[in-house]
Amino acid sequence: MISILRCRLITCLAKEYGCSSILYGDSTTRLAERTLSETAKGRGGAIPWLTADGQVPHGIKVVYPMRDLLRKEIAAYITMTVPPLTPLVLEQGLPNIVPSSKNTTIEDLMSQYFESVEQNYPSIVANVVRTSSRLVAPLADAKVGRVCHICRLPVAEGHEGLRWSGEQEHPCELADSAIAPSPSSLCYGCARSTLNPTHNAVQR
């Protein structure tokens, strides 16, 4: 959820300053981690907007200029430049994951997994990103229906109004709430990420 709010904040600032594009420094490894973690969280339909270059529903273009570089390649390069770029890079170590810990996040598991895979099988990391890049998102000027009130991405038709009991409720049957968006205004991933989909949701 923090990454979603950070993305929305960056987008708002980019629009405020009149920027035409946003450049993210995500590597192939980071994009691979995001692909699997977002899929596991129920956001698989948003993968084209979260990992590929191009226009996003937020109304601005997103570019990943380092999408073809592995994390270990970038780490090696910054030590070879003159002067070295190491002081400009904030290193983030791997999380200390305890197998029985209930606080372990999907992101932590993916980071640990790809850290080990990248060392011996870098082609696997690259293949994950290449496969996700084959997914085609709707055109920016295409008619988009409802969007999620939290992540601002389109809500897949037929997946609205998910109740925790597993029942589906038609959006017309949901009463409007002045406190927070109804479940039908959240995508599947955001509904599952919030403790209660009918309260404390972030509105635009």
Side-chain angles (χ1 to χ4, degrees):
M1 191 60 64
I2 294 178
S3 61
I4 293 176
L5 298 179
R6 180 173 60 242
C7 177
R8 288 189 58 180
L9 176 61
I10 294 174
T11 301
C12 290
L13 290 176
K15 290 182 177 180
E16 181 179 346
Y17 286 98
C19 302
S20 59
S21 302
I22 300 176
L23 274 65
Y24 288 105
D26 295 343
S27 63
T28 300
T29 312
R30 181 69 187 93
L31 293 177
E33 294 172 2
R34 181 178 303 158
T35 298
L36 295 192
S37 63
E38 295 299 322
T39 301
K41 290 185 291 186
R43 304 182 195 275
I47 293 300
W49 292 296
L50 298 175
T51 61
D53 298 341
Q55 198 81 9
V56 295
H58 300 106
I60 196 168
K61 185 178 181 180
V62 172
V63 181
Y64 299 93
M66 295 195 293
R67 62 179 296 110
D68 294 325
L69 299 174
L70 296 171
R71 180 180 293 149
K72 66 178 182 179
E73 294 174 334
I74 298 175
Y77 175 77
I78 62 177
T79 61
M80 299 176 183
T81 59
V82 179
L85 301 175
T86 308
L88 302 178
V89 178
L90 178 62
E91 294 189 11
Q92 183 176 3
L94 287 176
N96 186 18
I97 298 178
V98 179
S100 59
S101 176
K102 295 182 180 180
N103 296 324
T104 301
T105 64
I106 295 176
E107 287 82 359
D108 292 341
L109 293 174
M110 291 298 104
S111 296
Q112 185 183 59
Y113 170 72
F114 280 107
E115 179 71 16
S116 60
V117 171
E118 183 186 47
Q119 300 301 322
N120 301 318
Y121 308 99
S123 61
I124 294 180
V125 183
N127 285 337
V128 172
V129 179
R130 291 195 190 102
T131 301
S132 65
S133 65
R134 296 175 182 269
L135 301 175
V136 179
L139 298 177
D141 56 353
K143 183 179 180 180
V144 178
R146 294 177 296 105
V147 296
C148 177
H149 278 214
I150 296 181
C151 66
R152 307 305 300 167
L153 294 177
V155 177
E157 293 298 329
H159 294 80
E160 67 274 12
L162 180 68
R163 292 179 173 181
W164 295 116
S165 61
E167 299 177 356
Q168 293 291 333
E169 185 173 8
H170 193 277
C172 295
E173 300 175 356
L174 296 172
D176 294 334
S177 173
I179 300 177
S182 64
S184 63
S185 61
L186 300 180
C187 68
Y188 178 79
C190 288
R192 292 296 301 271
S193 297
T194 54
L195 295 178
N196 190 333
T198 60
H199 296 282
N200 301 326
V202 178
Q203 300 189 51
R204 185 175 180 179

